[in-house]
Amino acid sequence: MPAIIDTRDLTRRFGALAAVDHLTLAVEEGEIFGLVGPDGAGKTTTLRMLCGLLDPTEGSARVAGHDVAREPQAVKDQIGYMAQRFGLYGDLTVQENMDFYADLFGITGTFRGELTEQLLRMTRMEPFGDRQASRLSGGMKQKLALMCTLLHRPRILFLDEPTNGVDPVSRRDFWAILYQLLKEGITVFMTTSYLDEAERCNRVGLMHKGKLIRCAPPETMKADTGSLNLEGAFLKTIFTVEQEARL
Ligand SMILES: Nc1ncnc2c1ncn2[C@@H]1O[C@H](COP(=O)(O)OP(=O)(O)O)[C@@H](O)[C@H]1O
Ligand SMILES: [Mg+2]
């Protein structure tokens, strides 16, 4: 079976800067893949290209069987994208935000109500349907953003630092939801700056200055660098690449 995400030399330049530099990567259906790396490494730019929101300068990517540059709408139909700053309406309630996105995705009929209820149940947000989004905690806001992203039942979920700044308990809740979705067969492609989250991914891709410098299961990364934890593995890998660049 072909990979559900498949990129070849995917590149995006902003002027002289190669924000994403010849990135080649394949992700299988049902996988949870984590993209990590320092600020400015090119994670968000990669995600935006994979979601058909930003054209590659060079190279290509196929997502769910469609070319992101030639068929961006076909890609968007099959994916959900939760941006770093997802657009919730603070003065609308939880339910009204969901209605807004359901309208946007053209979801109608009895199915719409069932789906909304199911998502509220899954995220344990049922008691908060009437609460204004601006009055939700950080963790609940992220859960609401996730619900809105899931309304059109995407095959692939792209999450850009979804739990950034969220308290530990809400992060655990968020992960319980992700595991539930994975059980249902969804593919998750996420960026994170939390190492415990990277540990939970099937495979991790380490980006540095636009390049994917390593891509492996967390255990392999640790073993190959002789590190006890992922932080050590990442630092050693980046250090080695920097040294090679200097030679
Ligand atoms: N629209 C843009 N115009 C110019 N430079 C950009 C733009 N978007 C991102 N960049 C630059 O590309 C690099 C990668 O950014 P980004 O993909 O946001 O990294 P990350 O998500 O890993 O922090 C950064 O140096 C950033 O400043
Ligand atoms: Mg980013």
Side-chain angles (χ1 to χ4, degrees), residues 151-167:
L151 273 169
H152 71 129
R153 300 164 76 83
R155 270 176 82 192
I156 315 174
L157 195 53
F158 288 95
L159 306 172
D160 202 356
E161 304 199 13
T163 61
N164 213 5
V166 167
D167 70 86

Side-chain angles (χ1 to χ4, degrees), residues 123-151:
T123 53
R124 296 197 281 139
M125 288 280 282
E126 282 162 309
F128 308 106
D130 294 327
R131 187 177 290 193
Q132 271 191 328
S134 60
R135 293 181 50 236
L136 296 172
S137 70
M140 287 204 277
K141 275 187 190 137
Q142 292 308 83
K143 285 204 273 189
L144 174 56
L146 182 64
M147 281 193 281
C148 294
T149 308
L150 289 170
L151 273 169

Side-chain angles (χ1 to χ4, degrees), residues 14 17 19 38-45:
F14 295 110
L17 172 80
D39 266 357
K43 304 179 296 294
T44 297
T45 306

Side-chain angles (χ1 to χ4, degrees), residues 9-80:
D9 290 323
L10 187 67
T11 299
R12 174 68 201 204
R13 290 194 187 84
F14 295 110
L17 172 80
V20 177
D21 195 356
H22 294 87
L23 184 141
T24 298
L25 171 71
V27 174
E28 301 300 323
E29 183 148 30
E31 220 183 325
I32 175 158
F33 187 90
L35 200 58
V36 300
D39 266 357
K43 304 179 296 294
T44 297
T45 306
T46 302
L47 234 57
R48 292 180 64 207
M49 285 195 282
L50 294 179
C51 293
L53 297 168
L54 181 72
D55 277 338
T57 319
E58 203 186 303
S60 63
R62 293 183 77 78
V63 171
H66 299 284
D67 185 281
V68 294
R70 283 196 299 268
E71 309 161 90
Q73 193 51 51
V75 170
K76 284 176 199 157
D77 289 343
Q78 303 226 33
I79 62 138

